[in-house]
Amino acid sequence: MRHQPDPSSVFAAEIAFNRLVRDKGQWTAFRETAADDAIMFVPERVLAKQWLKGRADPAQPVSWTPSTIYVSCDGNMAASTGNWTRADGAVGYFTTIWRRDKKGAWKWVVDHGDTLAQPRKASEFLIGKVASCKPRPEGEAALVPPVDDSLIWSADAAPDGGRHVTVRMWNGSAYNMVIDDRVAGDGA
């Protein structure tokens, strides 16, 4: 099903998710908003619902604010990125990959982030970008088409705990790298 490719709907999903974390608890909210095949990094890559099952909510949940949202041409895939803060004062960044479910609701499929010494610089305004709907030339193969192939992502983990999450967005003639999150491993 094609939806309006609207970054504000993803922003609304982020706000609702953040509110659910505050109201019901961090891991409870993550369980309720995850797609069945969602993955997260702890730091190794795990199936989210399996890892979250029965996990107690922390007393003080994390809080976050998206700064940039990318949406596929058909409005079914999105990626959001921004900064997070914990009650202990720690800061970091996050990237969330979203996919619409059969009812049209946004569910997250990838949750990734890391701590930083200082938050990433963010715009004063939310930035929303939509992928081009212009088709690729005949005969060009898709890299990894999730729903349509205008927003593609990868999420990899190394045995040493290193992680790499990328999001590429179709601009009408090529893919632009819009998110390139790399976390070094422990070197083990």
Side-chain angles (χ1 to χ4, degrees):
M1 173 181 260
R2 187 172 172 85
H3 294 276
Q4 181 67 27
D6 180 10
S8 64
S9 69
V10 182
F11 186 59
E14 284 279 6
I15 290 169
F17 185 17
N18 208 341
R19 184 174 298 128
L20 193 61
V21 164
R22 287 192 319 268
D23 294 348
K24 288 191 170 184
Q26 183 169 312
W27 299 135
T28 300
F30 272 70
R31 279 189 295 272
E32 289 184 16
T33 57
D36 288 340
D37 59 344
I39 61 168
M40 57 193 306
F41 296 86
V42 295
E44 67 277 1
R45 180 180 163 148
V46 296
L47 285 172
K49 286 198 170 182
Q50 186 176 24
W51 187 85
L52 292 165
K53 187 176 184 173
R55 190 162 300 274
D57 293 314
Q60 297 293 320
V62 67
S63 177
W64 66 91
T65 305
S67 56
T68 308
I69 295 172
Y70 304 96
V71 181
S72 65
C73 167
D74 70 358
N76 285 310
M77 290 291 297
S80 56
T81 190
N83 292 315
W84 59 257
T85 306
R86 283 195 312 237
D88 65 5
V91 297
Y93 72 91
F94 74 92
T95 294
T96 305
I97 309 295
W98 296 89
R99 179 179 66 217
R100 289 195 191 265
D101 67 11
K102 292 178 182 177
K103 296 178 182 177
W106 287 111
K107 297 289 187 178
W108 65 268
V109 293
V110 177
D111 177 65
H112 179 260
D114 198 22
T115 57
L116 297 169
Q118 297 291 320
R120 287 180 173 172
K121 184 172 172 47
S123 170
E124 290 183 41
F125 304 99
L126 177 66
I127 298 169
K129 297 186 177 190
V130 176
S132 173
C133 292
K134 181 180 175 187
R136 279 188 296 200
E138 197 67 31
E140 279 191 32
L143 297 177
V144 182
V147 175
D148 77 2
D149 62 355
S150 63
L151 190 75
I152 58 175
W153 59 272
S154 66
D156 301 306
D160 68 356
R163 307 182 300 278
H164 190 197
V165 173
T166 64
V167 177
R168 292 177 176 86
M169 190 166 72
W170 183 247
N171 68 16
S173 60
Y175 284 98
N176 292 338
M177 178 75 71
V178 294
I179 296 174
D180 189 4
D181 292 341
R182 295 174 189 263
V183 176
D186 61 17

